[in-house]
Amino acid sequence: CPASEVDHMPCEDPRRNSQLSREMNYYRERHCPLPEETAVCLIPPPNGYRVPVRWPESMHKIWHSNMPHNKIADRKGHQGWMKREGQHFIFPGGGTMFPDGAEQYIKKLSQYIPINGGVLRTALDMGCGVASFGGYLLAQDILTMSFAPRDSHKSQIQFALERGIPAFVAMLGTRRLPFPAFGFDLVHCSRCLIPFTAYNATYFIEVDRLLRPGGYLVISGPPVRWAKQEKEWSDLQAVAKALCYEQITVHENTAIWKKPAADSCLPNGNEFGLELCDDSGDLSQAWYFKLKKCVSSTSIKGDYAIGTIPKWPERLTAAPSRSPLLKTGVDVYEADTKLWVQRVAHYKNSLNIKLGTPSIRNVMDMNALYGGFAAALKFDPVWVMNVVPAQKPPTLDAIFDRGLIGVYHDWCEPFSTYPRTYDLIHAVSIESIKDATGKNRCNIVDLMVEIDRILRPEGTVVLRDAPKVIDKVARIAHAVRWKPTIYDKEPDSHGREKILVLTKT
């Protein structure tokens, strides 16, 4: 591709999206080009690109040459977001609402929220900036999905991923975020500027869908006790009250609520006209799914509320109680967990994949099922973006119940991330993820060009598939300038498949 496309995201391209409606920030959501409009070319790295600084050092500094965008450092340096020092960007850990650093801010929150001890594991940081909040929560074994749109500070998610912190490009506009219902134990907004009570509290309702019963909501910054936003602050408190959220504290400009652990009250007789949704069947549908104006019932079978779900790390191996696929018993799930422990050991010992070393930090599993691959990496210095293809059974709730994170995605479209953001990409059955409906919906060459876009130089792709698919992908790999090596599967593995390991040059 031309050098000007160095940071190109096909579905978040401001050149196209700026032509779209601004109502509810529709223009900032995903809008993908048609296949015939997509250039089949490889995105080049910027001049002077170097192998990223290794984790955990990368949390505090990255190479300036890898993303030479100075706007955030210039605008937000005084708030401790980031600053330039010689060849590096340095991240002091600050944020607009916590200029003294995320560590101090988290310490303050822990007076009101059980941040230590494994009660909370999955968090959502809305409008995250360079994701220092999520980065510092890792020390407490809380895994945070940080998101922000591509906006005037266009590189904030790119900086987060370069630092090795889980992050994703998204906008809360007209559609649900691509996560399952009740997946997050903690939802956090620090000056995220989301108008939670606008449009009949539609955005608060989406937060309610995502927040696990018994979970915590933290909003710091406007409208909490904010000058000239008295009505918005009053409305926010009224919506929370209508949904029976317990207000734990309002400390300066930070408010903390706890969601009820069950349907303790119906949202009746409130000024927003909030009602319970008739149908709970679509609660976890979240791929191009329009936001609803009604409140999701929490009465799904299973122990998944805070206090009943096992604490971390026990919940990683406890069978999730609410996945519809697991109703036949936990044997399937336990077998899957054991299988991935064996497979990951084989990857490390026999295929020389550098899992467990500082070379690999950002990992993606393109076809995650129950998250077994990610669970098998629990002792490695990595985080895993578990992707459940949108046409496949919705197992993402089980992944979140295990204390892992991920998103729904349709692999016939580009992924919502910047180029060069993952060290290792893993996929089982690459043919099935683009053809889950049995129709040949999209081209494997386009998919491989997309994988190349999001893979860092010298990154690795590991594919498991039928021998004929592996041979086909290996042929295409030469055109994409990857080095392919084909291996047999593990000695005691059943089924006909081979393993292809690809290295991006």
Side-chain angles (χ1 to χ4, degrees):
C1 306
S4 59
E5 301 296 289
V6 64
D7 293 327
H8 182 51
M9 288 191 288
C11 300
E12 283 86 6
D13 187 342
R15 292 168 295 195
R16 180 181 55 258
N17 293 8
S18 62
Q19 311 299 312
L20 302 169
S21 165
R22 300 197 162 225
E23 176 69 15
M24 291 182 80
N25 278 311
Y26 175 72
Y27 75 110
R28 278 190 176 172
E29 293 180 299
R30 282 175 61 83
H31 301 285
C32 300
L34 295 169
E36 57 270 24
E37 294 169 0
T38 310
V40 185
C41 61
L42 306 180
I43 298 230
N47 286 333
Y49 183 87
R50 326 167 55 145
V51 170
V53 176
R54 301 296 191 205
W55 179 265
E57 201 185 354
S58 61
M59 170 110 157
H60 308 291
K61 71 175 188 182
I62 64 170
W63 295 115
H64 176 267
S65 55
N66 284 11
M67 44 194 69
H69 310 305
N70 298 327
K71 187 187 271 189
I72 300 181
D74 294 343
R75 286 189 181 178
K76 301 287 187 179
H78 66 289
Q79 295 170 352
W81 283 37
M82 57 188 282
K83 56 186 177 181
R84 173 136 186 222
E85 279 187 10
Q87 293 185 301
H88 295 101
F89 278 123
I90 307 292
F91 298 87
T96 304
M97 295 308 298
F98 43 93
D100 296 334
E103 276 182 305
Q104 289 298 107
Y105 177 70
I106 290 166
K107 207 169 169 184
K108 185 175 84 173
L109 295 182
S110 67
Q111 296 169 30
Y112 308 101
I113 296 176
I115 279 180
N116 325 67
V119 175
L120 305 181
R121 167 62 180 170
T122 54
L124 180 67
D125 190 15
M126 313 175 85
C128 61
V130 293
S132 289
F133 178 73
Y136 281 94
L137 276 177
L138 289 168
Q140 310 295 339
D141 268 343
I142 293 178
L143 187 59
T144 305
M145 176 75 83
S146 298
F147 82 86
R150 183 181 182 129
D151 65 358
S152 59
H153 307 312
K154 68 170 187 173
S155 322
Q156 51 193 331
I157 295 302
Q158 195 176 15
F159 283 121
L161 288 159
E162 184 77 2
R163 296 173 72 187
I165 300 171
F168 179 69
V169 175
M171 180 74 206
L172 185 51
T174 65
R175 301 189 283 251
R176 284 178 174 176
L177 293 168
F179 309 119
F182 316 137
F184 294 101
D185 308 341
L186 168 68
V187 174
H188 175 257
C189 151
S190 172
R191 206 181 173 94
C192 65
L193 304 181
I194 293 170
F196 289 106
T197 58
Y199 312 106
N200 279 57
T202 296
Y203 296 139
F204 197 105
I205 289 170
E206 173 63 356
V207 167
D208 182 69
R209 182 185 77 88
L210 297 172
L211 187 58
R212 190 178 294 279
Y216 295 86
L217 170 63
V218 178
I219 299 178
S220 65
V224 180
R225 288 184 175 166
W226 208 261
K228 299 182 182 169
Q229 293 207 20
E230 290 81 3
K231 182 178 187 312
E232 290 86 347
W233 171 224
S234 171
D235 285 351
L236 181 59
Q237 291 173 296
V239 171
K241 190 175 178 187
L243 295 182
C244 295
Y245 278 52
E246 176 195 351
Q247 189 173 91
I248 290 177
T249 189
V250 181
H251 179 78
E252 294 170 346
N253 298 115
T254 300
I256 302 175
W257 289 272
K258 186 174 188 197
K259 178 175 174 174
D263 281 335
S264 58
C265 70
L266 296 174
N268 285 340
N270 59 80
E271 62 196 276
F272 296 92
L274 299 178
E275 294 176 354
L276 281 175
C277 300
D278 297 334
D279 178 25
S280 61
D282 60 22
L283 269 180
S284 279
Q285 285 191 301
W287 184 247
Y288 289 110
F289 193 93
K290 276 195 168 173
L291 287 171
K292 287 200 162 187
K293 287 192 164 71
C294 55
V295 181
S296 309
S297 167
T298 52
S299 51
I300 297 175
K301 289 189 173 66
D303 297 330
Y304 58 93
I306 300 290
T308 61
I309 194 166
K311 290 183 179 179
W312 178 264
E314 289 75 23
R315 80 191 246 191
L316 183 67
T317 46
S321 64
R322 65 183 174 123
S323 179
L325 284 196
L326 295 172
K327 288 201 172 126
T328 50
V330 297
D331 305 351
V332 179
Y333 170 78
E334 285 174 356
D336 184 71
T337 302
K338 279 186 192 152
L339 178 69
W340 280 109
V341 170
Q342 293 163 357
R343 286 177 169 180
V344 166
H346 180 69
Y347 290 171
K348 292 175 177 177
N349 302 333
S350 303
L351 310 193
N352 199 25
I353 293 165
K354 294 175 184 169
L355 283 163
T357 76
S359 301
I360 296 177
R361 171 63 186 165
N362 299 351
V363 178
M364 176 184 286
D365 191 0
M366 295 174 69
N367 190 11
L369 191 60
Y370 304 126
F373 171 67
L377 300 173
K378 66 182 175 209
F379 296 119
D380 292 352
V382 300
W383 69 275
V384 182
M385 178 68 89
N386 292 286
V387 182
V388 171
Q391 287 76 27
K392 292 223 166 183
T395 52
L396 203 50
D397 53 1
I399 288 170
F400 274 83
D401 285 355
R402 297 185 80 169
L404 304 169
I405 55 173
V407 294
Y408 292 114
H409 180 68
D410 180 346
W411 281 113
C412 286
E413 295 184 2
F415 193 77
S416 286
T417 192
Y418 283 87
R420 303 172 301 282
T421 42
Y422 286 87
D423 300 303
L424 183 139
I425 296 177
H426 177 264
V428 177
S429 183
I430 195 161
E431 276 287 353
S432 82
I433 64 176
K434 68 183 186 64
D435 296 336
T437 54
K439 298 170 185 161
N440 199 6
R441 295 171 57 240
C442 50
N443 190 315
I444 195 137
V445 176
D446 290 335
L447 181 57
M448 289 176 67
V449 167
E450 172 60 8
I451 294 172
D452 182 82
R453 183 184 76 85
I454 64 183
L455 191 66
R456 286 170 166 174
E458 298 189 10
T460 306
V461 182
V462 180
L463 303 179
R464 306 178 68 96
D465 216 318
K468 65 174 189 179
V469 176
I470 291 294
D471 291 341
K472 178 180 172 185
V473 173
R475 285 197 303 275
I476 302 168
H478 293 288
V480 190
R481 304 182 197 172
W482 293 343
K483 281 192 249 174
T485 314
I486 297 176
Y487 296 93
D488 288 324
K489 63 187 185 301
E490 301 79 13
D492 52 355
S493 178
H494 303 295
R496 288 185 70 244
E497 61 179 3
K498 289 199 169 183
I499 302 169
L500 176 61
V501 178
L502 303 155
T503 308
K504 179 172 174 175
T505 52

